[in-house]
Amino acid sequence: MARHILHVDMDAFFASVEQRDNPALTGLPVIVGGLSGRGVVSTASYEARRFGVHSAMPMATARRLCPDGIFIPPDHKRYSRVSREIMAIFQRFSPAVEPLSLDEAFLDLSGMHLVAADLVAWTKKLKAAIKQETGLIASAGLAPNKFLAKLASDLDKPDGLVVITQEEAKSFLASLPVGRLPGIGKNTQAVLSSYGITTIGSLKAADRNVIAKVFGNQTDTILDLARGIDNRPVIPEHAAKSIGKENTFEKDITTLAAAQKELLRLAEETGWRLRRHGLIGQTVTLKVRYGSFKTITRSHSSEYGYYHDEDIYNTVLDMAAPIRWNDGVRLLGVSVSRLSPHAGYGGLNFGNEEKKEKRTQTIDQIKERFGENIIGRGLREKE
Ligand code: TTP
Ligand code: MG
């Protein structure tokens, strides 16, 4: 059965919240981000983007490009609150909502024709509800799968609503750069370009052996995506089979020491997500993708369950030690599965456990207040 997937993404999210809450900023170039010497731009309002300011740019550069901009430090607590409101609105428009970040989600609208004959009209209604209830503008993309829906929502920002059909996808994809395919970053783009492959069209037309050299056992997935085919389901948050985080690196990782730093971050991010969802998991999985795209996973289960960052990290570290790092690793992932609801902090409170709980609670409170990236543990030997 044909699927109907909607991707919704808020426009200039942090900056729009600032403009909404201080109407004097409407129509002005607003730049949100770290204001200290080494700060970077989180986001810029569309007025500021005209000056060339964008996310992840050093703040010093943004000040040079847009000297009359309004520079504001981020207020993560407020953005999280708005995010929860937006996600609650999404829930009214589809039973299957998969949040991707604070300001975007996939909604599966397949089957929604029972309540809404016209899915474009349904999407307009959703955008209007967001506007009316939060005062903010979203862009939306409607397509037969996740990949195309996410592409579509980005095509006519801000305040866009773009539909891509499976037929249109074929001609439309051909001219796009390969970097628009999920999972293809700067390095892979450079490798592909050395084979003369720069657009999705040229990837499709290339010799399969060449593609296989670059993507290994992911070749079929990549070629499907290039043809606009993507069968990944929308996984509603409450039905998530696992919670975790993965990261693709600019440069392949080649030592355990370098991997350790990344794994600590991934373990912390995974633990934080688990606790925010009120879940505990029985199994931890480490995913390693080599430069060759060969992908392996290692899992470990504990009858006590995984809930604290330290436990996730120590288990991941045990699994990471025998991995052959010098082959070059492009992606690492940490996840926890076999999830069940967890009442919160508590459980076995003795000795080391109690200290661990205290530390976790303190760190979570700080993250809740100032944002996830404000604090991280230092690297240390296993406990
Ligand atoms: P995005 O949706 O990528 O960006 P945006 O909503 O600001 O702008 P648009 O979608 O209209 O292009 O990210 C959502 C928020 O996440 C963004 O408002 C700020 C934050 N963010 C960062 O802090 N750092 C980043 O590098 C990026 C990309 C986003
Ligand atoms: Mg956005």
Side-chain angles (χ1 to χ4, degrees):
M1 198 187 79
R3 295 190 301 152
H4 300 281
I5 309 298
L6 180 66
H7 179 256
V8 187
D9 185 295
M10 305 303 294
D11 299 326
F13 184 48
F14 293 4
S16 303
V17 174
E18 296 300 337
Q19 287 176 319
R20 176 195 75 173
D21 294 347
N22 181 358
L25 302 179
T26 310
L28 297 181
V30 171
I31 295 150
V32 179
L35 302 185
S36 68
R38 283 167 33 211
V40 293
V41 174
S42 300
T43 194
S45 70
Y46 277 77
E47 293 85 358
R49 291 184 198 193
R50 275 185 226 123
F51 294 85
V53 179
H54 58 76
S55 297
M57 168 182 275
M59 193 52 88
T61 312
R63 284 190 194 277
R64 207 174 57 238
L65 290 172
C66 189
D68 295 328
I70 316 284
F71 294 85
I72 302 175
D75 179 351
H76 293 282
K77 206 171 172 186
R78 197 147 41 97
Y79 311 144
S80 296
R81 205 165 54 226
V82 180
S83 173
R84 281 195 288 274
E85 287 166 25
I86 294 161
M87 297 299 159
I89 297 174
F90 291 165
Q91 302 284 348
R92 307 205 307 257
F93 285 80
S94 164
V97 177
E98 179 181 335
L100 292 181
S101 70
L102 278 186
D103 85 324
E104 60 176 320
F106 285 117
L107 284 72
D108 194 339
L109 301 188
S110 316
M112 290 303 288
H113 55 277
L114 296 174
V115 287
D118 179 351
L119 294 181
V120 172
W122 188 248
T123 302
K124 284 185 182 155
K125 225 166 124 177
L126 165 64
K127 282 175 44 128
I130 295 174
K131 176 83 196 297
Q132 205 204 335
E133 293 170 42
T134 71
L136 298 170
I137 313 281
S139 290
L142 193 53
N145 61 50
K146 281 181 164 182
F147 165 46
L148 295 175
K150 193 164 159 102
L151 267 185
S153 73
D154 202 37
L155 284 181
D156 194 26
K157 264 182 170 287
D159 202 13
L161 198 186
V162 175
V163 179
I164 301 181
T165 65
Q166 197 73 63
E167 279 64 47
E168 283 163 356
K170 279 193 207 120
S171 51
F172 159 82
L173 287 176
S175 60
L176 292 181
V178 281
R180 296 304 287 259
L181 292 169
I184 297 198
K186 281 198 202 103
N187 292 321
T188 312
Q189 270 182 73
V191 175
L192 289 172
S193 155
S194 73
Y195 290 110
I197 299 170
T198 53
T199 62
I200 295 180
S202 56
L203 179 91
K204 249 183 351 186
D207 182 351
R208 197 193 150 88
N209 292 327
V210 172
I211 307 294
K213 242 190 268 173
V214 183
F215 294 104
N217 64 3
Q218 304 295 306
T219 300
D220 288 330
T221 309
I222 287 290
L223 288 174
D224 271 351
L225 287 169
R227 299 204 311 266
I229 297 169
D230 172 13
N231 294 321
R232 288 174 299 167
V234 172
I235 302 175
E237 195 155 47
H238 58 261
K241 293 208 171 65
S242 70
I243 279 193
K245 188 82 191 171
E246 45 184 64
N247 198 5
T248 305
F249 309 111
E250 288 274 327
K251 259 183 70 192
D252 286 358
I253 281 186
T254 53
T255 63
L256 176 62
Q260 240 170 320
K261 244 182 24 212
E262 297 298 336
L263 291 172
L264 177 60
R265 267 227 334 262
L266 291 169
E268 285 178 346
E269 287 172 356
T270 301
W272 166 242
R273 275 173 182 64
L274 260 185
R275 296 189 297 276
R276 300 250 327 198
H277 290 115
L279 297 167
I280 187 166
Q282 302 298 127
T283 303
V284 171
T285 300
L286 166 68
K287 173 172 166 185
V288 177
R289 175 167 294 158
Y290 289 99
S292 65
F293 271 85
K294 182 182 164 207
T295 306
I296 59 170
T297 57
R298 299 283 178 267
S299 293
H300 189 266
S301 296
S302 152
E303 59 179 305
Y304 302 109
Y306 290 99
Y307 187 71
H308 294 288
D309 302 347
E310 286 94 335
D311 298 335
I312 300 172
Y313 175 59
N314 287 337
T315 300
V316 163
L317 210 53
D318 286 340
M319 296 190 285
I323 300 276
R324 286 186 19 208
W325 296 100
N326 53 8
D327 286 356
V329 167
R330 77 186 309 267
L331 172 146
L332 283 174
V334 170
S335 61
V336 175
S337 57
R338 292 171 63 207
L339 305 172
S340 53
H342 187 67
Y345 308 95
L348 301 170
N349 267 332
F350 48 82
N352 206 21
E353 281 297 313
E354 194 170 2
K355 271 201 303 217
K356 199 155 63 183
E357 293 253 344
K358 272 238 154 65
R359 200 156 54 216
T360 302
Q361 280 190 44
T362 308
I363 289 178
D364 284 359
Q365 276 162 12
I366 294 172
K367 285 184 173 177
E368 185 70 47
R369 188 130 177 246
F370 299 107
E372 189 182 351
N373 297 326
I374 192 81
I375 186 168
R377 288 169 177 75
L379 212 52
R380 58 162 178 272
E381 291 303 304
K382 280 182 62 174
E383 300 196 336

